[in-house]
């Protein structure tokens, strides 16, 4: 039987933008992530250039974003999103 190790090496990405309400995060690979309302209170304190990893949570079928540059490190549930900060500037 094959299982993934808990210490599996995950790709480190960098935050490029965080929405002011903490509910959306944009990463340097171009991906956008939606954050659930409760954990967004942590994410609102995240900033550009911080390192994060993304791991699929087998139990909930969601993803976990882990900010490696916070003291916790912060781990928050997330789902793929479509936030584009450039679209907001046109409003």
């Amino acid at each position: 039987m094959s299982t993934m190790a808990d210490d599996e090496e995950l790709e480190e990405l960098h935050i490029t933008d965080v929405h002011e309400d903490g509910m959306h995060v944009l990463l340097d690979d171009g991906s956008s992530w939606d954050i659930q309302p409760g954990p967004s209170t942590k994410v609102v304190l995240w900033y550009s250039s911080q390192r994060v990893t993304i791991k699929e949570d087998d139990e909930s079928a969601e993803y976990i974003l882990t900010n490696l540059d916070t003291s916790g490190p912060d781990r928050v549930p997330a789902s793929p999103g479509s936030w584009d900060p450039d679209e907001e500037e046109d409003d």
Side-chain angles (χ1 to χ4, degrees):
M1 177 168 93
S2 153
T3 60
M4 290 181 134
D6 286 338
D7 60 353
E8 141 192 17
E9 190 165 326
L10 301 173
E11 179 183 8
E12 284 185 16
L13 300 166
H14 292 89
I15 296 170
T16 58
D17 205 349
V18 177
H19 191 275
E20 62 188 23
D21 65 8
M23 294 190 60
H24 309 285
V25 175
L26 194 62
L27 302 180
D28 63 350
D29 67 350
S31 65
S32 173
W33 294 89
D34 293 338
I35 309 301
Q36 295 179 0
S40 70
T41 58
K42 290 181 184 180
V43 176
V44 76
L45 301 174
W46 293 6
Y47 55 87
S48 295
S49 79
Q50 286 185 313
R51 299 170 303 136
V52 297
T53 59
I54 303 167
K55 182 175 182 177
E56 190 166 3
D57 183 1
D58 296 331
E59 293 179 21
S60 69
E62 290 185 338
Y63 294 86
I64 303 296
L65 264 62
T66 302
N67 187 326
L68 303 173
D69 293 325
T70 54
S71 61
D74 289 341
R75 291 179 174 83
V76 298
S79 56
S82 59
W83 177 53
D84 182 351
D86 294 332
E87 287 181 9
E88 289 186 353
E89 292 176 7
D90 296 336
D91 291 343

